[in-house]
Amino acid sequence: MCSKTKSSEALKVVVRCRPINRKEEAAGYDRIVSMDVKLGQVTIRNPRANPGELPKTFTFDAVYDANSKQADLYDETVRPLIDSVLQGFNGTIFAYGQTGTGKTYTMQGLWAETDKRGVIPNSFDHIFTHISRSQNQQYLVRASYLEIYQEEIRDLLCKDQTKKLELKENPESGVYIKDLSSFVTKNVKEIEHVMNLGNQARSVACTNMNEYSSRSHTIFVITIECSELGVDGEEHIRVGKLNLVDLAGSERQSKTGANGERPKEASKINLSLSALGNVISSLVDGRSTHIPYRDSKLTRLLQDSLGGNAKTIMVATLGPASHHYDETLSTLRFSNRAKNIKNKPRINEDPKDTLLREFQEEIARLKAQLEKRGMLSKKRRRNSRRKKSVDGDNVPEMEAEEDNEENLIENNVGNYLKEQAERLEQEKAAIQDDHSLLAEEKLKLIEEKEKMMEDLSKEQKATELLAVKFKVIL
């Protein structure tokens, strides 16, 4: 189920230009790109212009020049989108541009340096800081990481990298990837670990354009489920999905110096990027009755982000040097078309297949089983509802109960299981020592006790499962 919001909103397009680098300066290339940050305008000058040919100017939602900081782009452009995802909207951020213009720097940056961290690590901090400050809400956050390489989808978190994944469509949730791995993460450290694992498996190759150039498109997906008590007294779950997309370079094949397998690889990359261009053109020309989403895996996966149920930001990255005039102009024209796309974002409320609801139901079922066996007596639970803080003041009852419930279950049930195991061992030893019993009777009684011990072991596993599920709900 999706709740209504305003009918449509435009795809947000921002442009970022990196500084000229030493290699370009050494080669004597001119700067051909200038930016007016206040007006949101980019002007490009043709280095081979005929006399009287004027520079071309484009206007966008925002522009970031060579002096811009990572935090400027995040706080002004990205932060509102992440806030929307936390409210239950779908959101997509994708970086588009020629290799070597700063797509990966913009999306990932330098993780070890706080002021150079990109969109992805900043969004991790943003999400988990918000959750830690939230009240009367339960959250479950999970992450997936995929790569589209030569029109094949690879799960970067799967041990079997040869496994080919299929795209499927669900009437309620849209296009999805069957059997894509998903990891529940409880904090920034865990989600960073998930991303690091995926980054190690990426298809990276060296080209003339960039010695560390990625030759694939990647999408890091964060699904945030939030449960909250509604005015109707019922629990309602909202699900926001965030796609963080780093596209392969958009340059022409002749510029890459690619040979051998590389031209074939480049043509596959160009196929998906040209399909992206065709989808954008069809969406904005106002005449197309058919939008060619199915022309590539990339456009199918981004279907909701382009004209559908999502809030979308495109960050177009440019190089300032005259040598790349054609590619820079192409990126600006592509971006200029994209800003006319209209999306229809809405809050995803109470979808059927949420992991959070599944966990909540499983916890309730396991707790009922444990209470039935007297392992979670109401008296014990009442006694745990108030606890003293370090300075001796009482903390709120609800907060104390939430903090204690997980430990209470583990401690009470652990003690109960230990007592029961000791009792069964004593009873088993007593049977062995009872000389008045016949051998057959002894065997039967011992088998009964062993069966009881097996049941006890199952109860212990159920308790451990309950504790694990408590821990992943934030």
Side-chain angles (χ1 to χ4, degrees), residues 264-284:
K264 176 186 166 188
E265 186 185 65
S267 68
K268 288 282 178 81
I269 291 166
N270 289 343
L271 179 143
S272 55
L273 289 176
S274 64
L276 181 61
N278 293 339
V279 164
I280 289 170
S281 296
S282 300
L283 284 166
V284 301

Side-chain angles (χ1 to χ4, degrees), residues 1-5 80-91 130 137 139 222-228 236-242 304 309-311 344-351 354:
M1 175 183 140
C2 293
S3 63
K4 289 180 182 177
T5 186
L81 179 83
I82 306 299
D83 285 333
S84 294
V85 172
L86 286 159
Q87 290 166 18
F89 286 96
N90 293 334
H130 173 91
Q137 293 165 326
Y139 283 90
I222 305 173
T223 304
I224 304 167
E225 299 180 9
C226 173
S227 174
E228 192 172 16
H236 292 280
I237 293 180
R238 299 189 307 271
V239 181
K241 190 169 82 169
L242 176 63
D304 252 349
N309 173 25
K311 291 173 176 271
K344 298 181 180 67
R346 56 194 182 271
I347 291 174
N348 304 303
E349 195 165 44
D350 291 326
T354 64

Side-chain angles (χ1 to χ4, degrees), residues 104-376:
T104 302
Y105 178 76
T106 294
M107 292 304 289
Q108 301 217 25
L110 303 178
W111 290 57
E113 298 180 43
T114 307
D115 62 333
K116 292 181 181 175
R117 286 158 70 86
V119 167
I120 292 172
N122 281 324
S123 69
F124 292 172
D125 286 338
H126 185 163
I127 288 164
F128 285 102
T129 298
H130 173 91
I131 290 170
S132 70
R133 292 173 180 168
S134 65
Q135 293 181 327
N136 305 320
Q137 293 165 326
Q138 286 185 316
Y139 283 90
L140 191 141
V141 180
R142 51 199 163 98
S144 300
Y145 201 5
L146 65 105
E147 174 183 66
I148 304 171
Y149 180 63
Q150 295 198 11
E151 277 302 286
E152 295 290 348
I153 298 169
R154 291 171 65 211
D155 184 344
L156 291 173
L157 304 176
C158 180
K159 286 179 182 175
D160 181 9
Q161 288 291 309
T162 60
K163 188 178 177 183
K164 292 181 181 178
L165 299 177
E166 295 176 53
L167 283 173
K168 299 283 181 185
E169 199 151 354
N170 180 308
E172 189 178 274
S173 56
V175 177
Y176 69 97
I177 301 166
K178 190 183 174 190
D179 301 327
L180 182 67
S181 301
S182 178
F183 287 84
V184 174
T185 57
K186 303 192 294 293
N187 51 47
V188 171
K189 191 176 177 182
E190 287 187 4
I191 202 166
E192 282 182 354
H193 178 65
V194 170
M195 170 151 265
N196 289 337
L197 285 176
N199 282 341
Q200 289 165 19
R202 282 194 68 175
S203 291
V204 174
C206 172
T207 73
N208 287 349
M209 296 300 300
N210 184 346
E211 51 193 319
Y212 299 107
S213 171
S214 170
R215 310 307 305 144
S216 63
H217 313 295
T218 61
I219 306 177
F220 191 84
V221 185
I222 305 173
T223 304
I224 304 167
E225 299 180 9
C226 173
S227 174
E228 192 172 16
L229 202 64
V231 289
D232 57 1
E234 297 288 321
E235 284 283 342
H236 292 280
I237 293 180
R238 299 189 307 271
V239 181
K241 190 169 82 169
L242 176 63
N243 294 311
L244 297 159
V245 188
D246 189 359
L247 297 174
S250 61
E251 62 277 351
R252 292 173 303 161
Q253 197 172 305
S254 60
K255 279 272 181 88
T256 67
N259 49 53
E261 276 291 299
R262 293 279 169 272
K264 176 186 166 188
E265 186 185 65
S267 68
K268 288 282 178 81
I269 291 166
N270 289 343
L271 179 143
S272 55
L273 289 176
S274 64
L276 181 61
N278 293 339
V279 164
I280 289 170
S281 296
S282 300
L283 284 166
V284 301
D285 74 1
R287 297 187 302 275
S288 300
T289 53
H290 168 71
I291 311 298
Y293 292 115
R294 291 179 176 269
D295 284 2
S296 78
K297 301 277 173 65
L298 177 69
T299 47
R300 277 208 76 196
L301 274 173
L302 294 180
Q303 187 168 327
D304 252 349
S305 309
L306 302 166
N309 173 25
K311 291 173 176 271
T312 302
I313 296 168
M314 172 180 165
V315 183
T317 57
L318 311 174
S322 54
H323 178 59
H324 302 307
Y325 170 76
D326 292 334
E327 283 78 10
T328 303
L329 181 60
S330 173
T331 297
L332 288 167
R333 283 176 170 159
F334 183 94
S335 309
N336 201 46
R337 288 203 308 276
K339 71 182 186 184
N340 295 307
I341 292 174
K342 301 285 188 227
N343 284 0
K344 298 181 180 67
R346 56 194 182 271
I347 291 174
N348 304 303
E349 195 165 44
D350 291 326
K352 294 170 191 169
D353 55 349
T354 64
L355 196 59
L356 183 54
R357 176 147 292 154
E358 186 186 312
F359 277 19
Q360 286 174 333
E361 288 170 358
E362 180 73 356
I363 285 167
R365 189 179 64 78
L366 289 168
K367 278 168 72 176
Q369 284 178 10
L370 295 172
E371 277 184 349
K372 193 176 175 182
R373 294 181 175 91
M375 289 187 273
L376 275 179

Side-chain angles (χ1 to χ4, degrees), residues 7 21 38 45-46 56 66 78 150 161 198 216 246 263 266 280 305 337 357 364 376 408 446 458:
S7 56
N21 61 35
K38 287 183 180 176
R45 174 179 58 82
N46 185 351
K56 295 174 176 64
V78 180
Q150 295 198 11
Q161 288 291 309
S216 63
D246 189 359
I280 289 170
S305 309
R337 288 203 308 276
R357 176 147 292 154
L376 275 179
L408 176 73
I446 286 169
K458 284 176 186 173

